[in-house]
Amino acid sequence: IAERMLGLEKQAEASFREALEKKDRFVEARLALASLALDARQGETAMKMAQAAVAQNPQSGAALAAAAQALLVQGDLAGASRRVEEAIAAEPGSPAVWTTYLRIGLAGGRVAEVRTRIGQQAAANPSNAGFVLLDGLASLAAEDVGRAETQAAKAASLDPRLAEAQTLLGNVYLRKRDLARAKAAFGRAIELQPRGVNAYLALVMIEVEQGRLEEARKICERARAMEPGSPLIAQQLAALYLDQGADVNQALALALEAKAKMPGAPAVSSTIGRAYLRLGRVNSALDELRGCAQGPQANPECQHQMGLAQAAAGNRGAAVEMLEKAARSANYRRAAEVRQAIERLQQGKAL
């Protein structure tokens, strides 16, 4: 446990496995291994460990919830939903189990249902910071920013050491565009939980939005030092290196590291595509970007980079078509750059 708290995932995994060798029915060690696998997006490994824990203790809400999370990582939303209901039946008073329910319910788009059921738990347990926090998270997902703020503040009051309450407050202030208070809240979250990836990423996003790329990079590098195994941090740092014109090969290595743990993530594919373009590897860029620039996961950053890759390959018509898709996306921060690229291509100029 101490090794994991220090970010030493490989050493922690070895210690948990050694514990299992000494005591095969050590459910907690199996769940710890399942949790490590979930963090690494290794659904199959997580499922194996979670199922073994369930077999040893069929009434363990934690084991059933771990199995539900593994199913979610594997893309089996229906199976995850069924499993988490079993976890709730086994341990209806566990905030950790309901946290899993929240994730699975929101992944399935069941916002109203999630808010109602978690709201009932918070009403029945008004002094439980965990349930109050979950109610705030569900409220924010339902766009009830006022209640989310109220519940986040209440959770922080009930448990001043609850970093997640400060992170929720930060997200509330982001919705309200109060960036100063948002930065303060995320800063408090990091003080309470120095390895809290989400708070670091939120601070990076604010600094990028304000055009402070150097400060964003420093925050991201600090997060990387605290949580070296996080694919989210690796991806964000790679993108920032590209934004600042840093070593492209270093950026590509970070993005490929993230891809190993988050295959198919559009943001990762976009960053890898950008790096390949910088290196002149146009065909590699096209191959990487094709999946994320089209279909249900398409986002403007992928479409932007795909347009640039098509232009580099000499496909002007396809390039303009893809860039126009990116330009139509609301609030894309590089929209002006996209429009300039379209104009140059339509004028027959090189990018």
Side-chain angles (χ1 to χ4, degrees):
I1 292 171
E3 287 166 341
R4 188 175 186 190
M5 291 176 68
L6 291 170
L8 306 173
E9 277 80 5
K10 290 184 179 179
Q11 293 92 322
E13 180 180 356
S15 294
F16 289 135
R17 291 191 181 279
E18 184 179 353
L20 273 180
E21 290 175 5
K22 295 179 182 297
K23 182 181 176 183
D24 183 62
R25 297 187 64 80
F26 200 162
V27 173
E28 291 80 1
R30 290 193 187 280
L31 291 178
L33 285 167
S35 180
L36 281 172
L38 286 168
D39 286 350
R41 309 292 294 177
Q42 297 170 352
E44 187 175 342
T45 301
M47 178 57 74
K48 180 180 177 181
M49 287 296 167
Q51 285 180 328
V54 171
Q56 291 177 350
N57 187 353
Q59 293 304 309
S60 168
L64 290 162
Q69 291 185 69
L71 286 165
L72 182 63
V73 168
Q74 291 178 316
D76 185 354
L77 185 59
S81 298
R82 288 192 298 270
R83 208 56 156 167
V84 79
E85 291 299 337
E86 294 174 11
I88 290 171
E91 292 187 35
S94 167
V97 167
W98 283 95
T99 298
T100 301
Y101 165 78
L102 174 76
R103 291 172 182 161
I104 293 170
L106 294 182
R110 306 193 311 271
V111 178
E113 174 202 313
V114 167
R115 186 182 184 189
T116 297
R117 292 184 67 183
I118 287 180
Q120 291 169 348
Q121 293 299 314
N125 301 275
S127 297
N128 187 307
F131 280 121
V132 172
L133 173 66
L134 287 174
D135 189 32
L137 290 167
S139 296
L140 190 61
E143 302 296 335
D144 188 344
V145 178
R147 181 167 178 80
E149 182 175 5
T150 298
Q151 294 299 77
K154 182 179 178 181
S157 176
L158 288 168
D159 184 356
R161 302 294 301 171
L162 190 60
E164 293 82 356
Q166 297 299 331
T167 300
L168 176 55
L169 276 173
N171 284 318
V172 166
Y173 295 141
L174 275 181
R175 294 286 182 92
K176 298 172 76 171
R177 305 305 301 160
D178 189 342
L179 299 186
R181 294 177 75 185
K183 289 172 70 171
F186 290 129
R188 289 193 297 271
I190 290 170
E191 289 176 6
L192 293 169
Q193 190 179 44
R195 295 178 62 208
V197 169
N198 290 336
Y200 280 113
L201 290 174
L203 281 177
V204 168
M205 182 187 73
I206 292 172
E207 298 295 352
V208 169
E209 184 175 328
Q210 295 181 325
R212 294 160 51 89
L213 295 183
E214 182 69 17
E215 185 60 29
R217 180 187 59 78
K218 290 178 181 178
I219 293 171
C220 213
E221 287 176 340
R222 190 163 76 246
R224 172 84 171 167
M226 295 300 299
E227 192 66 273
S230 169
L232 295 172
I233 294 295
Q235 140 62 25
Q236 184 63 70
L237 188 55
L240 285 169
Y241 282 162
L242 291 175
D243 287 342
Q244 292 190 290
D247 186 345
V248 179
N249 288 300
Q250 185 179 8
L252 179 59
L254 284 167
L256 290 173
E257 177 188 322
K259 182 179 180 179
K261 294 182 178 180
M262 298 192 305
V268 176
S269 292
S270 172
T271 302
I272 293 172
R274 286 175 65 195
Y276 281 147
L277 280 175
R278 294 277 182 88
L279 292 169
R281 296 170 58 180
V282 177
N283 288 334
S284 295
L286 287 169
D287 290 341
E288 183 66 38
L289 293 163
R290 193 166 283 114
C292 76
Q294 300 171 351
Q297 284 193 310
N299 69 18
E301 181 64 42
C302 284
Q303 292 166 339
H304 181 184
Q305 297 306 318
M306 185 63 167
L308 296 180
Q310 291 284 15
N315 305 321
R316 286 180 176 269
V320 170
E321 180 182 353
M322 192 59 66
L323 289 169
E324 286 178 340
K325 290 180 180 179
R328 287 195 293 269
S329 181
N331 302 319
Y332 179 45
R333 66 187 181 94
R334 290 193 169 95
E337 182 182 334
V338 171
R339 287 191 289 271
Q340 288 176 358
I342 293 171
E343 184 177 345
R344 289 187 66 83
L345 287 172
Q346 290 175 335
Q347 293 173 350
K349 298 178 180 178
L351 295 182

